[in-house]
Amino acid sequence: MAQSSHLGRLKTEILRRWRMTSLLDILKETDLRVDFSEFFKSVSTRETLDPETLQKRLLLCLYGLGTNTGLKRLSDEIGDDNYHDLLYVKRRFIQKDQLRNAISCIANAIFRARSPQIWGEGTTACASDSKKFGSWDQNLMTEWHIRYGGRGVMIYWHVEKNSVCIYSQLKTCSSSEVAAMIEGLLRHCTEMKVEKNYVDSHGQSEVAFAFCHLLNFKLMPRLKRINVQKLYRPSTGNNDAYSNLQPVLTRAINWDLIRQQYDQMVKYATALRLGMAETDAILKRFTRGNLVTVHTPPLKRN
């Protein structure tokens, strides 16, 4: 009861201090404090826009794209900057790498601004999952989703314990969630040190456990069919050990096979960490669907 009354007073005080605060005001205040707009540079060699005008149009473009309002509708509401001015800034200044650097800058600023008395010490755990969004057929990444139905794309997020998104990526519906999970852990580019990652059943596999172990991450999955999961025995010839685990134990680990392939495993893990190859391309080498079958044409009878 006391907690409920304190929460009500807190909401009342917030409304008294910051009444009718819009998302655009929050975006502008964030830029004034963090100066993330400095990451957006023109792709051309020469630029004539003054810094204040450029900053304003950049924030309007980011607001229109981030809220899905659209530049056309936003320009009609604002009135000062027309649609072609905003479209010019979007095409010349807003690129994928620049936007990712700006997001990392904001995430790091949130980590530094947190008070340990309120938020606790810095966390080393995050959770990752995907969500389907509908998209037009003309989009080259649009696919039919077997599980959810309908055409669309997937957005895969990595979110730390206190709800800060440290990485997001656009994926096709048929792409591997395991590859997206590992990609986010390695490429989040924030000051957060990730040690554990929580996923659902679609974000884990035996290959995922192996690579996460080699890359020094702890994979913490929620297994949907945990009743059929099996554990390998550490050695042969001791079948009576672990009497309470007998129903879930299976054959022994083949340690000789691991020793033979260990150098190759380290090679692939190093390629993932250094970004020398796409995560999805490396993981496909360990799936049955990637095996190439050679079909010989039938012999023709005379």
Side-chain angles (χ1 to χ4, degrees):
M1 195 67 165
Q3 184 180 2
S4 177
S5 62
H6 289 327
L7 184 60
R9 286 185 219 161
L10 180 61
K11 290 182 178 179
T12 303
E13 183 63 20
I14 291 176
L15 288 175
R16 186 185 68 82
R17 294 192 183 189
W18 298 288
R19 186 177 297 275
M20 300 299 292
T21 302
S22 68
L23 287 176
L24 189 56
D25 291 331
I26 296 175
L27 184 63
K28 178 183 177 182
E29 184 67 24
T30 303
D31 190 31
L32 292 176
R33 296 190 181 197
V34 181
D35 195 21
F36 64 83
S37 59
E38 68 174 0
F39 291 99
F40 297 95
K41 305 297 182 183
S42 175
V43 294
S44 59
T45 56
R46 182 173 174 271
E47 188 54 56
T48 58
L49 281 175
D50 61 278
E52 291 186 2
T53 303
L54 177 59
Q55 182 187 31
K56 177 184 176 183
R57 293 178 182 176
L58 268 174
L59 294 180
L60 289 175
C61 287
L62 294 175
Y63 177 80
L65 296 173
T67 59
N68 206 25
T69 304
L71 302 184
K72 181 67 175 178
R73 184 176 298 177
L74 187 64
S75 62
D76 294 339
E77 293 293 331
I78 299 297
D80 295 339
D81 300 282
N82 59 45
Y83 169 68
H84 296 287
D85 292 334
L86 298 182
L87 189 61
Y88 172 85
V89 171
K90 174 185 176 295
R91 290 175 175 174
R92 290 292 185 94
F93 290 89
I94 300 179
Q95 308 297 326
K96 177 181 176 181
D97 293 335
Q98 298 173 348
L99 186 59
R100 198 172 290 284
N101 291 334
I103 293 174
S104 299
C105 176
I106 295 174
N108 292 334
I110 293 175
F111 294 149
R112 291 191 294 266
R114 280 178 176 170
S115 175
Q117 291 80 9
I118 299 176
W119 298 96
E121 297 297 329
T123 177
T124 58
C126 69
S128 59
D129 199 4
S130 63
K131 180 176 176 59
K132 173 183 172 289
F133 289 89
S135 59
W136 297 105
D137 292 342
Q138 289 81 358
N139 191 326
L140 295 179
M141 298 191 71
T142 297
E143 289 183 350
W144 181 272
H145 201 291
I146 298 176
R147 184 155 40 107
Y148 296 129
R151 296 177 177 85
V153 295
M154 302 294 291
I155 305 295
Y156 198 87
W157 281 290
H158 283 74
V159 181
E160 60 96 35
K161 181 180 178 181
N162 294 315
S163 304
V164 173
C165 180
I166 61 173
Y167 196 80
S168 62
Q169 49 191 309
L170 173 66
K171 307 290 288 182
T172 58
C173 295
S174 61
S175 60
S176 169
E177 290 195 16
V178 173
M181 178 270 298
I182 296 178
E183 182 78 14
L185 295 179
L186 295 173
R187 312 280 180 257
H188 63 86
C189 297
T190 67
E191 296 176 355
M192 179 183 176
K193 182 181 179 182
V194 181
E195 296 180 355
K196 294 187 294 185
N197 187 51
Y198 295 87
V199 295
D200 59 6
S201 297
H202 299 282
Q204 60 82 34
S205 65
E206 291 183 355
V207 176
F209 275 105
F211 275 107
C212 284
H213 179 74
L214 291 173
L215 295 169
N216 202 24
F217 299 116
K218 292 182 179 179
L219 185 59
M220 315 290 286
R222 176 178 59 84
L223 299 174
K224 186 176 181 180
R225 303 182 62 209
I226 194 172
N227 59 314
V228 297
Q229 299 296 322
K230 296 294 183 180
L231 298 177
Y232 287 89
R233 300 177 185 272
S235 59
T236 57
N238 197 9
N239 296 336
D240 296 332
Y242 313 106
S243 57
N244 295 329
L245 295 176
Q246 288 299 323
V248 297
L249 291 177
T250 181
R251 63 180 179 83
I253 299 173
N254 189 347
W255 295 105
D256 290 334
L257 181 62
I258 295 177
R259 292 188 188 98
Q260 295 170 9
Q261 303 295 329
Y262 186 76
D263 291 341
Q264 196 75 0
M265 292 159 54
V266 173
K267 172 185 173 182
Y268 285 125
T270 305
L272 282 178
R273 184 178 292 277
L274 298 180
M276 301 172 62
E278 292 290 335
T279 307
D280 209 1
I282 290 181
L283 294 185
K284 280 182 179 179
R285 301 178 68 90
F286 300 91
T287 59
R288 294 180 180 178
N290 194 50
L291 297 178
V292 179
T293 306
V294 179
H295 298 280
T296 16
L299 297 176
K300 294 182 179 180
R301 295 181 180 179
N302 293 329

